[in-house]
Amino acid sequence: MAFGLARRQLRPRVPLRPGEGERDHLTSLEGLAALSLDALSSVAYGPEAIVLALVVAGSSAVSATLPITLVITALLAVLVVSYGQVIAVHPDGGGAYAVAKKDLGRRASLLAAASLVVDYVLTVAVSLAAGADALVSAFPKLAGDNLAVCLLGLAVLTLVNLRGVTESARLLMLPTLLFIVSIVGVIVVGLARPHPAAMVGTPEPLHATEALSVLVLLKAFSSGCSALTGVEAIANAVPTFRSPRVKRAQHTELMLGGLLGVMLIGLAVMIHRDSVVPRGGVTVLAQLTAGAFGTGWAYYATNVVVTVVLGLAANTSFGGLPVLMSLLARDNRLPHLFGLRAERPVYRWGVGVLAVTAGLLLIAVDADTHRLIPLFAIGVFIGFTLSQGGLVRHWRRERPPGWRRRAMINGTGAVLTTIAACVLLGTKFLAGAWIVVVTVPLMMLLFSRIERYYTAVGAELELGRIPGPPARMHSLVIVPLGQVSKVAQHALTAALAMGDEVVAVVVHHDPAKSRALIDAWDRWDPGVRLQVLDSPHRSLVQPVVDYVRVAAADGRQVAVLIPEIEPRSRRYKILQNQRGILLATVLRARTDVVVCMLPHRLDL
Amino acid sequence: MAFGLARRQLRPRVPLRPGEGERDHLTSLEGLAALSLDALSSVAYGPEAIVLALVVAGSSAVSATLPITLVITALLAVLVVSYGQVIAVHPDGGGAYAVAKKDLGRRASLLAAASLVVDYVLTVAVSLAAGADALVSAFPKLAGDNLAVCLLGLAVLTLVNLRGVTESARLLMLPTLLFIVSIVGVIVVGLARPHPAAMVGTPEPLHATEALSVLVLLKAFSSGCSALTGVEAIANAVPTFRSPRVKRAQHTELMLGGLLGVMLIGLAVMIHRDSVVPRGGVTVLAQLTAGAFGTGWAYYATNVVVTVVLGLAANTSFGGLPVLMSLLARDNRLPHLFGLRAERPVYRWGVGVLAVTAGLLLIAVDADTHRLIPLFAIGVFIGFTLSQGGLVRHWRRERPPGWRRRAMINGTGAVLTTIAACVLLGTKFLAGAWIVVVTVPLMMLLFSRIERYYTAVGAELELGRIPGPPARMHSLVIVPLGQVSKVAQHALTAALAMGDEVVAVVVHHDPAKSRALIDAWDRWDPGVRLQVLDSPHRSLVQPVVDYVRVAAADGRQVAVLIPEIEPRSRRYKILQNQRGILLATVLRARTDVVVCMLPHRLDL
């Protein structure tokens, strides 16, 4: 990967840090545009998830959508207040991982990290799958091609992110605003009509396979909780707000909560009033849209806006995962490599992994949104639970005025989200939730193994202790050469500057060539000894390695200086330097000497 | 590729050079075993090619097989004598490429090189395809799976060659001997019987689509010439013979010619006597085998021996192509990379390319031997023509006693092989020969462009001229560090040995961490200045690159010494050094300073 850098300027996407150009930071409204997409867009699949869960108990059971939505909205209110407190306590952002690390200890933070990684991947997959559903609702000709639509969308996102995007809150303003206007419009216009303006989709046979039990209601509740995914995004991103950061972020969280609550209740009322049941080829949201706007341009426009916003929601993961990975790398829980987030090749690597994993998931479930939702929601709810559990601990430790009330709010949130997570796990275990149950502990194990390794390395390097003074040594620079040329002149200049002693070595199998070289060397007389090395097996590398090993054995600091001819044009690269690269690789693997590369630029 | 080396000992397959352990060199008989497989195995497809070419003029036309074979055998005699002379004139081997370069000039040598490369690829493809035919003849259950058999064989050869094989003449003795015994046995037993012992294969409808014209005879002649491929192998490998090398090689060439001639004539007589025509599912050779031995164990054994020998013939290319490529690399006509034949990664690269190209060819023609034979024969005949044309030039220039007679022999050979090449080209142009017509000039162009590039580089480096003396410069070694640790101590020891001046640099975005580092540094007091670099965009690489550029601007020899932590276990590699590798890559691409890597080994 590293080789992709070459000559292009690195201009990576980096979240702004406090104090760096306050003007670039977000106001509350800009924050809403930039950070609410993920949460708001979940109204495209959350209510539908409730309806689908209820309809197994017959079409009349769908009327339970409204009460369930009210419970979910109550949970939303708890979460919003709760996250308002998270924002105040953790103004540096970081979300569930930061809270868990600070207040709940190592194991909980590993759990938070693993479930967040799972979530980022699933946000991409779910948003794309739901986006494809919305698009197919508008354009029935695409029916059956959902997976293709998803993979195409994923390819576009990947390419855009590989090139590097500058996410601008202002750019996101328009789609967010359009989305809010569309959904609120659907609700207002829809409820103003006495009955639906139009029906879309094909009727599907509905057989009640179960009675309307508590279990069915719990399932519907936990599936519907997928509508709450994304409300944590603002708390993760407090540092990107303009000061007063905490106030603005809390304000944005409240706006988000209010909007999301209104949308969810409004849509649930419509579902209830019109007895909406799933129909073939369209989403529940598309049915409500047609009910409000008919099937004219407004129907198409709304579906397209929903699709675009879901696509942008998928895109947030491409920005978020690298941030999380760099936090983990700084905590020694992922390779330090990922701490180099600002370096484009590393960033590209992350984008690639995210895209491939999401793509495989989409293929595995054939782009079926509702097979992904349980997996998705479990991860999110683990995060919710940990954040709030951590705050309960925080309040109990700090005991500020009113800590009992605050702990009660966070505790209630934690209990409710734990219930939702457990219901999802229990009811959807065989339907895919087992993947999360397997993946999350494996990832925790991986993080923990990596941490252990780095700790052991730190101990071996005696980090934190002051080492002895550096030794003073005599240096020998060995310069492998092939011919007497300007390259040799350049290399010896560098070697003489760096070494107390310099020796040039040359490998030849052909006695005539060796003699010619020695003659040329004597005529040149550069003031450096030339050592001709014999090569019985015509290998170029082995004789040099053997010579270097012997030279390094007697307590000098040995360096091998390898001149590299660098053609100006990239396509000539293969024609040069293979010997040097090979030699450098073997020397680095099999000796402890310093290996130096000296570029000699050509005009070709 | 280069990274595959690591810790394994390089033990490449290298042809022996004169004087290196005479005991390892070949006697005449061993030479026959080692070098005749390619030529002898062509009796498996050569006679069949004649029959197939003739049968378009009806089954009676097949009787022309015998006279055509006699003409081909006469050509074989000319070639054998001719190559005896090549051996005498070019005892260093090298074959058509060496002869053309010496006697015919640059363009002819490029043509020879390109057609030889094409040949090596086609030897693999044709031998495997014919081997599959032989195997299918023995085991009709495999019918239709020829391509799969070929690709499986190719995979085995590739794996064996990737691991590296020690070709031993003695190991090849047994299959070669078995092959000779089998084929001679078929001829002797077959001719001793009054009529065939058994018929195999299914009859195929034969419609004469053409009259028996001169063109048909010419086509049959040129296709049959594919039986002569491989007679050049001995002349290419004179240095591998025990002395007196020339005598022994000539002796081997004569034995090969005699054997091949006997086999071809013997098989042609049988074809003539029994009026053999192509039958479904079996080769002509298999029909003759059944005619001689019946369909008992001897039939199976013979076909298996033929298959094995064809597989071994395919294997000769895996040994031959790298040798040719290293010759071309030494003449600046291929990347110098390929001159490093003794280094395993380079060798593996060649094996891979050969395997992939041959595999694609086999897939393209669906493993049909007779679609490959024209392509194959064209390349071989270009080589024959160039070798002999070169010798004619040689005789005319040197004029030793009897030069006219010698030139006449070589000239006749050249004319005959030219005719065969032209007939093949003309009659098979649309059937695939155009591929050769396109590929060969493209390869010549490539070789020539590479040669031109290296010439230009040589001029820029002023090769052959004595450069000025190396300059005496002051050196500055810059050491990027992250922490005060044993690694820092190690790196500064090396830097102080190598630099007149040393400065440690550290990139930090976190002021608290910077301060802690400066404190630790002051307590350590290693006698080296510490420079803290600011990083507005959290990039680690850019600040160092900027600092190095400024430092390099004032006429000092600047080196950057990057310490690398080397874990003992390979699987920890990803956890270390990514920063160092990234920094080294960017520095090498964007600055002209010396980049030094210092390994710091861990016990982990």
Side-chain angles (χ1 to χ4, degrees):
Chain A
M1 278 311 293
F3 298 88
L5 282 173
R7 282 177 204 139
R8 214 188 296 170
Q9 185 65 24
L10 295 165
R11 196 180 295 282
R13 167 171 71 179
V14 183
L16 290 158
R17 306 295 293 178
E20 275 173 33
E22 191 62 18
R23 264 177 4 110
D24 292 335
H25 283 77
L26 304 173
T27 63
S28 301
L29 221 60
E30 284 167 354
L32 190 68
L35 300 165
S36 71
L37 277 173
D38 191 4
L40 293 181
S41 66
S42 34
V43 302
Y45 46 82
E48 181 167 282
I50 303 175
V51 172
L52 281 173
L54 290 172
V55 84
V56 297
S59 53
S60 62
V62 174
S63 60
T65 301
L66 185 54
I68 287 175
T69 303
L70 290 174
V71 175
I72 290 173
T73 314
L75 177 55
L76 172 64
V78 175
L79 281 175
V80 165
V81 175
S82 184
Y83 271 108
Q85 299 185 0
V86 171
I87 290 168
V89 175
H90 295 284
D92 288 333
Y97 178 65
V99 177
K101 201 173 75 170
K102 183 155 167 261
D103 294 320
L104 294 174
R106 188 165 168 279
R107 202 172 289 247
S109 72
L110 291 177
L111 174 60
S115 53
L116 280 169
V117 170
V118 168
D119 253 22
Y120 278 119
V121 174
L122 279 159
T123 301
V124 174
V126 167
S127 301
L128 285 172
D133 291 342
L135 201 68
V136 169
S137 300
F139 305 101
K141 276 196 179 163
L142 292 173
D145 293 333
N146 291 43
L147 182 58
V149 170
C150 286
L151 295 180
L152 196 70
L154 184 59
V156 171
L157 286 182
T158 309
L159 288 178
V160 167
N161 279 285
L162 282 180
R163 275 201 58 80
V165 292
T166 345
E167 244 175 34
S168 151
R170 263 159 226 127
L171 271 178
L172 293 175
M173 284 286 229
L174 184 68
T176 309
L177 190 70
L178 281 176
F179 182 78
I180 295 170
V181 167
S182 304
I183 302 297
V184 173
V186 166
I187 295 166
V188 171
V189 177
L191 290 179
R193 290 186 191 273
H195 39 72
M199 293 284 271
V200 289
T202 50
E204 285 189 340
L206 296 172
H207 306 290
T209 53
E210 297 178 41
L212 184 59
S213 59
V214 175
L215 187 64
V216 170
L217 290 174
L218 275 176
K219 279 185 188 178
F221 163 72
S222 55
S223 299
C225 284
S226 60
L228 303 182
T229 56
V231 299
E232 75 285 1
I234 293 165
N236 294 354
V238 187
T240 61
F241 280 90
R242 202 178 290 185
S243 58
R245 293 188 280 142
V246 168
K247 276 270 154 56
R248 287 189 197 266
Q250 285 176 328
H251 190 199
T252 304
E253 184 79 55
L254 274 177
M255 285 196 288
L256 169 64
L259 265 171
L260 186 55
V262 166
M263 287 180 179
L264 289 176
I265 293 175
L267 294 175
V269 170
M270 288 181 73
I271 289 169
H272 182 78
R273 194 199 60 180
D274 302 341
S275 306
V276 172
V277 291
R279 290 169 70 90
V282 294
T283 61
V284 166
L285 185 60
Q287 289 189 56
L288 298 177
T289 307
F293 297 152
T295 54
W297 67 267
Y299 175 73
Y300 290 99
T302 302
N303 275 302
V304 168
V305 166
V306 170
T307 306
V308 168
V309 165
L310 283 164
L312 292 170
N315 192 50
T316 56
S317 282
F318 283 95
L321 185 58
V323 177
L324 175 65
M325 287 171 83
S326 76
L327 284 178
L328 286 170
R330 243 169 275 171
D331 289 344
N332 291 334
R333 289 168 178 183
L334 271 185
H336 285 162
L337 163 67
F338 295 107
L340 306 175
R341 188 161 47 90
E343 321 293 350
R344 189 185 283 272
V346 175
Y347 177 73
R348 281 187 179 151
W349 208 82
V351 168
V353 170
L354 179 56
V356 168
T357 325
L360 290 177
L361 257 176
L362 282 167
I363 291 169
V365 301
D366 197 20
D368 181 344
T369 313
H370 293 281
R371 286 172 66 190
L372 290 171
I373 279 181
L375 312 192
F376 182 34
I378 290 170
V380 176
F381 278 71
I382 294 174
F384 284 167
T385 306
L386 289 173
S387 312
Q388 303 190 87
L391 273 204
V392 172
R393 274 274 184 90
H394 173 82
W395 301 131
R396 286 185 51 180
R397 203 179 51 233
E398 305 279 326
R399 307 202 174 201
W403 68 273
R404 277 175 206 279
R405 188 180 46 81
R406 292 168 193 266
M408 185 68 88
I409 294 172
N410 291 130
T412 311
V415 169
L416 287 174
T417 50
T418 307
I419 291 173
C422 290
V423 170
L424 279 167
L425 259 181
T427 57
K428 299 287 183 179
F429 189 81
L430 290 176
W434 64 269
I435 299 173
V436 179
V437 176
V438 171
T439 310
V440 166
L442 279 181
M443 282 173 58
M444 289 170 68
L445 186 68
L446 178 71
F447 296 154
S448 147
R449 289 292 298 270
I450 291 174
E451 194 177 9
R452 209 164 68 195
Y453 169 80
Y454 280 123
T455 309
V457 171
E460 193 175 324
L461 299 183
E462 299 180 0
L463 290 184
R465 284 176 51 186
I466 298 297
R472 297 283 165 168
M473 288 169 83
H474 189 75
S475 67
L476 166 67
V477 178
I478 298 170
V479 186
L481 288 175
Q483 284 156 312
V484 170
S485 72
K486 278 178 130 179
V487 179
Q489 181 195 16
H490 187 179
L492 289 189
T493 297
L496 286 167
M498 290 165 63
D500 299 315
E501 191 187 339
V502 175
V503 59
V505 298
V506 65
V507 180
H508 265 309
H509 356 268
D510 183 340
K513 277 195 182 169
S514 304
R515 206 158 22 247
L517 182 75
I518 294 170
D519 285 352
W521 194 269
D522 289 344
R523 271 181 292 146
W524 182 25
D525 191 19
V528 167
R529 186 163 63 89
L530 175 71
Q531 176 80 44
V532 179
L533 304 177
D534 210 28
S535 174
H537 286 285
R538 303 180 70 79
S539 166
L540 204 96
V541 168
Q542 196 54 50
V544 177
V545 172
D546 291 341
Y547 181 83
V548 167
R549 276 190 171 158
V550 171
D554 67 351
R556 284 174 297 190
Q557 177 64 54
V558 172
V560 179
L561 189 133
I562 302 172
E564 280 189 300
I565 297 175
E566 289 282 349
R568 207 171 50 187
S569 162
R570 228 165 222 279
R571 73 200 149 110
Y572 292 135
K573 281 245 166 181
I574 178 84
L575 299 178
Q576 299 287 4
N577 301 329
Q578 308 297 336
R579 273 179 254 219
I581 292 169
L582 197 66
L583 182 60
T585 308
V586 177
L587 283 172
R588 281 164 63 180
R590 311 226 306 260
T591 75
D592 287 342
V593 302
V594 179
V595 177
C596 306
M597 308 298 281
L598 170 75
H600 183 93
R601 311 262 171 219
L602 291 185
D603 262 342
L604 288 162
Chain B
M1 282 308 295
F3 296 89
L5 280 176
R7 287 184 199 134
R8 213 188 299 169
Q9 185 66 24
L10 295 165
R11 195 181 295 283
R13 169 171 69 178
V14 183
L16 291 157
R17 308 291 296 177
E20 275 174 32
E22 190 64 17
R23 263 177 5 110
D24 292 335
H25 283 77
L26 305 173
T27 63
S28 302
L29 220 59
E30 285 167 355
L32 189 69
L35 301 164
S36 71
L37 276 174
D38 192 4
L40 292 181
S41 66
S42 34
V43 301
Y45 45 82
E48 181 168 280
I50 303 175
V51 172
L52 282 174
L54 289 172
V55 85
V56 298
S59 55
S60 63
V62 174
S63 61
T65 301
L66 185 55
I68 287 174
T69 302
L70 291 174
V71 175
I72 290 173
T73 312
L75 176 55
L76 171 64
V78 174
L79 281 174
V80 165
V81 176
S82 185
Y83 271 107
Q85 298 186 1
V86 171
I87 290 167
V89 175
H90 296 283
D92 288 334
Y97 178 65
V99 177
K101 201 173 74 169
K102 183 156 169 260
D103 293 320
L104 294 174
R106 186 165 169 282
R107 201 172 289 247
S109 71
L110 291 176
L111 175 59
S115 52
L116 279 170
V117 170
V118 169
D119 253 23
Y120 277 121
V121 175
L122 279 159
T123 300
V124 174
V126 167
S127 301
L128 284 172
D133 291 341
L135 201 66
V136 170
S137 301
F139 305 101
K141 276 197 179 161
L142 292 172
D145 293 333
N146 291 43
L147 182 59
V149 171
C150 286
L151 294 181
L152 195 71
L154 184 60
V156 171
L157 287 182
T158 308
L159 287 178
V160 167
N161 280 284
L162 283 179
R163 276 201 55 83
V165 292
T166 345
E167 243 174 35
S168 151
R170 262 159 227 127
L171 271 179
L172 293 175
M173 284 284 228
L174 184 68
T176 308
L177 189 70
L178 281 177
F179 182 79
I180 295 170
V181 167
S182 304
I183 303 297
V184 172
V186 167
I187 295 166
V188 171
V189 177
L191 290 180
R193 289 186 191 276
H195 40 71
M199 292 285 272
V200 289
T202 50
E204 285 190 338
L206 296 172
H207 306 290
T209 54
E210 296 178 42
L212 185 59
S213 59
V214 174
L215 187 64
V216 170
L217 291 174
L218 275 175
K219 280 185 186 178
F221 163 72
S222 55
S223 299
C225 283
S226 61
L228 304 182
T229 56
V231 300
E232 75 287 358
I234 293 165
N236 295 355
V238 187
T240 60
F241 279 89
R242 202 177 290 184
S243 58
R245 293 189 279 142
V246 169
K247 274 271 152 59
R248 286 187 198 269
Q250 286 175 328
H251 190 197
T252 304
E253 184 79 56
L254 272 178
M255 283 194 288
L256 169 63
L259 265 171
L260 186 55
V262 166
M263 287 180 180
L264 289 175
I265 293 175
L267 294 174
V269 169
M270 288 181 74
I271 290 168
H272 181 79
R273 195 199 60 180
D274 303 340
S275 306
V276 172
V277 291
R279 290 168 69 92
V282 295
T283 61
V284 167
L285 184 59
Q287 288 189 56
L288 298 177
T289 306
F293 297 152
T295 55
W297 67 268
Y299 174 74
Y300 291 98
T302 303
N303 275 303
V304 169
V305 166
V306 170
T307 306
V308 168
V309 165
L310 282 164
L312 292 171
N315 192 49
T316 57
S317 282
F318 283 93
L321 185 59
V323 177
L324 174 65
M325 288 172 82
S326 76
L327 284 177
L328 286 169
R330 243 168 274 172
D331 289 345
N332 291 335
R333 289 170 178 181
L334 271 183
H336 285 161
L337 164 65
F338 295 107
L340 306 175
R341 187 162 48 90
E343 320 294 350
R344 187 184 284 273
V346 175
Y347 177 73
R348 279 187 179 151
W349 208 81
V351 168
V353 170
L354 178 57
V356 168
T357 325
L360 290 177
L361 257 176
L362 282 167
I363 292 169
V365 302
D366 197 20
D368 181 345
T369 313
H370 294 281
R371 286 171 65 191
L372 290 170
I373 280 181
L375 313 191
F376 181 35
I378 291 169
V380 177
F381 278 73
I382 294 174
F384 284 167
T385 306
L386 289 172
S387 312
Q388 302 189 89
L391 273 204
V392 172
R393 273 275 184 89
H394 173 82
W395 301 131
R396 285 186 51 181
R397 203 178 52 234
E398 303 280 328
R399 306 204 174 200
W403 69 272
R404 277 175 205 281
R405 188 180 47 81
R406 291 167 193 265
M408 184 68 88
I409 294 171
N410 291 131
T412 312
V415 168
L416 286 174
T417 52
T418 307
I419 291 173
C422 292
V423 170
L424 278 168
L425 260 181
T427 57
K428 299 288 184 177
F429 189 81
L430 290 178
W434 63 268
I435 300 174
V436 178
V437 175
V438 171
T439 309
V440 165
L442 280 180
M443 282 174 56
M444 289 170 68
L445 186 68
L446 178 71
F447 297 154
S448 147
R449 289 291 298 270
I450 291 174
E451 194 177 7
R452 209 164 68 195
Y453 168 81
Y454 279 124
T455 309
V457 170
E460 193 176 323
L461 298 183
E462 300 181 0
L463 290 183
R465 283 177 51 188
I466 298 298
R472 297 284 165 166
M473 289 170 82
H474 190 76
S475 66
L476 166 67
V477 177
I478 298 171
V479 186
L481 287 175
Q483 284 155 311
V484 169
S485 72
K486 278 180 131 177
V487 179
Q489 180 195 16
H490 187 180
L492 290 187
T493 297
L496 285 167
M498 291 165 64
D500 298 316
E501 192 186 337
V502 174
V503 59
V505 298
V506 65
V507 181
H508 266 308
H509 356 269
D510 183 339
K513 276 195 183 169
S514 305
R515 206 160 19 250
L517 183 74
I518 294 170
D519 284 352
W521 194 269
D522 288 344
R523 270 182 292 145
W524 183 25
D525 190 19
V528 167
R529 187 163 62 88
L530 175 70
Q531 175 81 44
V532 179
L533 303 177
D534 211 29
S535 173
H537 286 284
R538 304 179 68 78
S539 166
L540 203 95
V541 168
Q542 195 56 49
V544 177
V545 172
D546 291 342
Y547 181 82
V548 167
R549 275 190 172 156
V550 171
D554 68 350
R556 285 175 295 189
Q557 177 64 53
V558 172
V560 180
L561 188 134
I562 302 172
E564 280 188 301
I565 296 176
E566 290 281 350
R568 207 172 50 187
S569 163
R570 227 166 221 278
R571 72 201 149 110
Y572 293 135
K573 281 243 165 183
I574 178 84
L575 299 177
Q576 300 287 2
N577 301 328
Q578 309 297 336
R579 277 179 251 218
I581 293 169
L582 197 65
L583 181 60
T585 308
V586 177
L587 284 172
R588 281 163 65 179
R590 311 224 309 258
T591 74
D592 288 342
V593 302
V594 179
V595 177
C596 306
M597 309 299 279
L598 170 74
H600 183 92
R601 310 262 171 218
L602 292 184
D603 262 344
L604 290 161

